[in-house]
Amino acid sequence: MQIQLPNIPNEPVPISFRDGITLHIKREDKTHPKVSGNKYRKLKYNLQEAKRQGFTKLITFGGAYSNHIAATAAAGQLCNIETIGVIRGDELASKIAQNPTLQYAASCGMKFHFVSREAFRKKHTPEFKIYLENIFGKYYYVPEGGTNHWAVKGCQEIITPCDTAFNFITTAIGTGGTISGIINASFEHQKILGFPALKGYFLSEEIKKYAEKSNWKLIHQYNLGGYAKINDEFIAFLNNFYQKTAIPLDPVYTGKMIWGVIDLIDKGFFPKQSKILAIHTGGLQGIYGMNQKLEKQNKNCLIYENEIG
Ligand SMILES: *Cc1c(COP(=O)(O)O)cnc(C)c1O
């Protein structure tokens, strides 16, 4: 089985910046109508490998709003491989109908196995693997977030020879697989800036496991205090950005990255005439869950929920 993913063209972001700086965006969220962004890139070679090794089942791990869970479910359905999602939080078993991510994954045929937070923390142990094998039989293993050697190989295909004109490439980071692929595929004159969505995680070590070059840097000050943390000002920024550009950003990853890039441009971080390419890694399904939360708190929601298909 060969999975073909398109090369995504870069679009200019229609905002004028100081110092002759330009910003383009690579809309990886448009990679596939059902499996958005970097997650399909990360799964591509894993799915091919699972098939090649004769597996009929794939197990992976994630939280209740995980883009990786949604993408794995959809990609498994496309490639005809059964998917099982081990989900953090056993209280969620009775709440599938209220959770847009789990509902979507279930509609793609994913089966769930809910575990407590303590059990979830032990998911990488050999005991847990045996435990899962006793329930589900032989399966192909994809770690939480999807990062492994094959995922990095898939993400190397995000960058193409059409991207040589840029001197900065920026991306959001979760586990570090996507930026590692981008680093490996980048050109010598380019600097890769990563914006971690999580706080206080040993990311540099993770990236060094996979990255073959050192032309990268992490920028930590735009995570708003941690994973999926937001504030009113940030939500207003996302809505304003959408109104100006018609580009929808997700509030967990790409939104914080673009927010950071624009703030850094405004503060003079980038040299004059810099050509910046931001990677839109997708994740738009996360908007539904975020809007549910905002609505409950009587806050302003993301206005483009209905525009994201
Ligand atoms: C998962 C995800 C990332 C982070 O990718 P990693 O390879 O885990 O670093 C970035 N953006 C979006 C939208 C994602 O869903």
Side-chain angles (χ1 to χ4, degrees), residues 73-94:
Q77 187 179 42
L78 289 172
C79 301
N80 230 331
I81 188 160
E82 195 183 325
T83 57
I84 294 141
V86 177
I87 308 296
R88 179 179 59 235
D90 37 14
E91 77 284 359
L92 291 161
S94 60

Side-chain angles (χ1 to χ4, degrees), residues 92-113:
L92 291 161
S94 60
K95 293 187 191 147
I96 297 172
Q98 289 103 287
N99 180 295
T101 303
L102 297 179
Q103 218 179 15
Y104 176 72
S107 79
C108 296
M110 181 177 262
K111 292 197 185 108
F112 300 126
H113 184 72

Side-chain angles (χ1 to χ4, degrees), residues 38-39 42 67 145 147 172-178 250 253-254 281-283:
N38 64 336
K39 294 301 188 286
K42 297 177 80 170
N67 294 331
T147 290
I173 305 183
T175 56
T178 303
D250 86 286
Y253 292 101
T254 57
T281 39

Side-chain angles (χ1 to χ4, degrees), residues 29-82:
D29 57 311
K30 294 182 176 173
T31 302
H32 188 279
K34 289 200 81 182
V35 201
S36 114
N38 64 336
K39 294 301 188 286
Y40 205 4
R41 303 259 178 216
K42 297 177 80 170
L43 286 164
K44 171 180 165 176
Y45 289 105
N46 278 294
L47 288 163
Q48 291 185 185
E49 195 55 22
K51 287 265 177 177
R52 195 186 65 76
Q53 292 180 30
F55 287 96
T56 58
K57 244 179 233 175
L58 179 157
I59 295 189
T60 195
F61 308 80
Y65 296 94
S66 162
N67 294 331
H68 171 63
I69 288 292
T72 303
Q77 187 179 42
L78 289 172
C79 301
N80 230 331
I81 188 160
E82 195 183 325

